Amino acid sequence: MTHKDVERTDERGYGPEPWWAGFGGWGAVVLIVVGVTGAAWVFLRLPGTPDELWTGYHQAAKVVAIGMVIAGTTVIGRRRARAEGAEQAAAVEEADHSGRA
């Protein structure tokens, strides 16, 4: 193998993303609703409920937890973006006012 046959990049090859990566705020709401619905399904012992009820509750709780984490990170990301935008606007306004004085 020659040097020309091997292409080197500086990018690191990370593993595949989890199935919930890329969900936004609405995806988080959907996951929370699906998890709560799953817990209600187990509580009412509708068809398809596992024999061990705790496994059904555990699966529903995992879905709700993932939805809550996604919702929280979405809210924090939006709040951080607003704060950075406000800081930039304040800096521009301050520079504009100091230029006039």
Side-chain angles (χ1 to χ4, degrees):
M1 186 179 286
T2 64
H3 181 61
K4 293 179 181 179
D5 293 337
V6 179
E7 181 179 336
R8 239 187 128 126
T9 62
D10 290 335
E11 296 178 20
R12 295 181 182 220
Y14 293 106
E17 294 180 338
W19 60 268
W20 64 83
F23 281 18
W26 288 110
V29 171
V30 169
L31 282 177
I32 294 169
V33 168
V34 166
V36 170
T37 303
W41 190 277
V42 172
F43 179 75
L44 296 173
R45 297 182 182 178
L46 296 173
T49 301
D51 293 334
E52 299 282 337
L53 294 181
W54 66 269
T55 59
Y57 289 126
H58 183 255
Q59 292 170 351
K62 287 194 303 185
V63 173
V64 170
I66 291 170
M68 292 178 77
V69 167
I70 293 170
T73 55
T74 301
V75 168
I76 289 172
R78 288 182 183 170
R79 185 171 288 181
R80 184 173 294 150
R82 284 185 190 161
E84 288 174 0
E87 287 175 4
Q88 289 175 353
V92 168
E93 186 176 328
E94 183 178 323
D96 187 35
H97 287 297
S98 64
R100 291 183 188 170

